[in-house]
């Protein structure tokens, strides 16, 4: 971590906001002393004065190729994550398919860590950013809510532990919410709101080397623009991701603390969509 922080501070102090030539940028990166262990990964896009946009990656492995770009994975959990994505079994690896597989894999990681007692703010991994592109520039996707539900069929109810709480039955599907994560920004600060049964916590992660944290008691940033419902079979063998209209998802203020709200029972139309999706896969 000390080597990693040293390298990052070096890059911040190297005037990378100025247009440099390609050899100058390569020299800066070579002198930064980037760690060579598998836990440290970099992906840098830069505009240079002699070649325009160039790309540098460090300790990263390309796992899929799209017409519009590559998909890179790195870090100490990269091998496990690639195995979870199981790209070889995908009929196609377009951006939407890969995104949904990635979210499903994250669901398994997050829930696995939660069940082991590792809370999001001090777990390995856990918090993740969403970015998109707009008018040729990168933009943050703000006010994104991900709801993770376990589900099982009526015929499987005897196979599930009897002490499971907060279970609801809609149609032919039992379900329970295992966790919900909300991701947004206040200026340059990443804000994460985490909920799981019996616990709620909100925290902020500032940009590197910036100790200024906003007040999370403010409610002007609250709201839900995008919702992803991740439905995972109780065995963990399959997950499905559904985009949702955020009408039923919002915030409530309890005392001075805002917290995210969502339908506890599986919405009827979502249960129908799940059943249709399962039949299509079969």
């Amino acid at each position: 971590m000390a080597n990693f922080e040293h390298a990052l501070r070096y890059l911040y102090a190297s005037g990378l906001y100025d247009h440099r030539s390609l050899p100058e940028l390569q020299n800066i990166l070579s002198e930064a002393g980037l760690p060579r262990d598998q836990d440290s990964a970099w992906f840098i896009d830069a505009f240079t004065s002699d070649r325009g946009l160039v790309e540098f990656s460090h300790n990263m492995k390309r796992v899929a190729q799209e017409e519009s770009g590559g998909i890179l994975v790195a870090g100490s959990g990269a091998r496990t994550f690639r195995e979870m994505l199981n790209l070889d079994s995908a009929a196609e690896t377009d951006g939407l398919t890969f995104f949904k597989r990635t979210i499903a894999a994250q669901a398994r990681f997050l829930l696995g860590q939660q069940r082991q007692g590792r809370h999001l703010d001090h777990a390995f991994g856990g918090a993740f950013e969403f970015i998109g592109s707009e008018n040729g520039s990168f933009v943050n996707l703000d006010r994104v809510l991900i709801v993770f539900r376990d589900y099982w069929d009526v015929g499987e109810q005897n196979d599930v532990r009897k002490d499971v709480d907060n279970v609801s039955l809609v149609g032919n599907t039992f379900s329970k919410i295992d966790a919900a994560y909300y991701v947004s920004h206040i200026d340059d600060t990443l804000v994460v709101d985490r909920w799981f049964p019996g616990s709620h916590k909100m925290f902020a992660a500032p940009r590197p080397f910036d100790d200024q944290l906003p007040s999370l008691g403010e409610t002007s940033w609250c709201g839900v623009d995008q919702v992803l419902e991740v439905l995972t079979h109780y065995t963990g063998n399959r997950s499905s991701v559904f985009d949702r209209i955020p009408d039923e998802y919002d915030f409530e203020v309890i005392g001075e603390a805002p917290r995210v709200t969502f339908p506890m029972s599986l919405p009827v139309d979502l249960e129908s969509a799940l059943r249709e999706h399962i039949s299509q896969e079969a």
Side-chain angles (χ1 to χ4, degrees):
M1 286 300 297
N3 291 336
F4 191 86
E5 180 177 336
H6 170 78
L8 188 58
R9 287 182 181 274
Y10 184 91
L11 292 178
Y12 265 66
S14 296
L16 297 182
Y17 296 102
D18 300 327
H19 282 227
R20 304 293 188 105
S21 67
L22 182 61
E24 287 176 326
L25 183 58
Q26 289 175 325
N27 185 59
I28 289 174
L29 293 174
S30 66
E31 292 183 354
L34 301 180
R36 290 289 177 183
D37 58 275
Q38 65 175 350
D39 295 344
S40 304
W42 299 79
F43 182 78
I44 302 172
D45 278 336
F47 285 99
T48 63
S49 58
D50 53 351
R51 288 187 53 184
L53 181 65
V54 295
E55 169 193 303
F56 294 88
S57 62
H58 176 74
N59 288 353
M60 301 190 78
K61 182 174 181 179
R62 190 181 300 273
V63 298
Q65 180 67 46
E66 292 185 278
E67 292 182 1
S68 58
I71 297 169
L72 304 175
V73 176
S76 58
R79 178 180 300 176
T80 302
F81 194 71
R82 289 195 296 269
E83 292 173 352
M84 279 189 162
L85 289 176
N86 194 19
L87 289 174
D88 294 337
S89 67
E92 53 183 325
T93 55
D94 60 274
L96 182 60
T97 299
F98 184 82
F99 176 70
K100 290 189 174 184
R101 282 176 171 263
T102 300
I103 290 292
Q106 287 171 336
R108 280 173 277 175
F109 267 119
L110 288 170
L111 296 179
Q113 290 184 346
Q114 174 190 304
R115 288 163 178 163
Q116 294 169 23
R118 297 176 182 154
H119 299 319
L120 179 62
D121 51 342
H122 56 78
F124 292 96
F128 42 89
E129 286 259 29
F130 292 99
I131 61 170
S133 61
E134 183 177 284
N135 299 324
S137 301
F138 286 117
V139 295
N140 288 321
L141 295 183
D142 280 334
R143 312 203 319 176
V144 180
L145 175 64
I146 306 175
V147 180
F148 298 120
R149 298 182 194 262
D150 277 356
Y151 75 91
W152 55 96
D153 299 341
V154 169
E156 298 171 321
Q157 57 184 313
N158 293 328
D159 300 328
V160 179
R161 286 172 41 187
K162 304 302 181 185
D163 59 347
V164 176
D165 297 325
N166 303 316
V167 175
S168 61
L169 174 62
V170 176
N172 293 314
T173 306
F174 285 101
S175 69
K176 63 163 299 194
I177 296 181
D178 260 326
Y181 294 96
Y182 174 85
V183 182
S184 188
H185 297 82
I186 302 177
D187 297 326
D188 293 325
T189 300
L190 172 67
V191 177
V192 178
D193 190 2
R194 180 214 65 200
W195 178 97
F196 65 89
S199 177
H200 166 85
K201 187 172 184 180
M202 182 181 296
F203 62 93
R207 64 182 181 179
F209 317 128
D210 186 353
D211 296 328
Q212 299 296 319
L213 288 176
S215 170
L216 296 182
E218 297 290 334
T219 59
S220 58
W221 57 271
C222 293
V224 179
D225 293 336
Q226 303 177 57
V227 179
L228 295 171
E229 284 266 4
V230 182
L231 299 179
T232 302
H233 191 255
Y234 80 100
T235 60
N237 292 333
R238 63 177 183 266
S239 295
S240 304
V241 182
F242 298 90
D243 299 320
R244 301 292 293 164
I245 298 174
D247 293 349
E248 299 179 81
Y249 307 81
D250 203 349
F251 272 80
E252 63 180 352
V253 178
I254 300 178
E256 297 182 354
R259 65 178 61 184
V260 69
T261 60
F262 36 81
M264 296 301 296
S265 297
L266 188 65
V268 174
D269 63 323
L270 185 54
E271 198 268 345
S272 299
L274 173 65
R275 289 298 165 188
E276 182 178 354
H277 178 73
I278 293 174
S279 64
Q280 288 175 351
E281 283 193 334

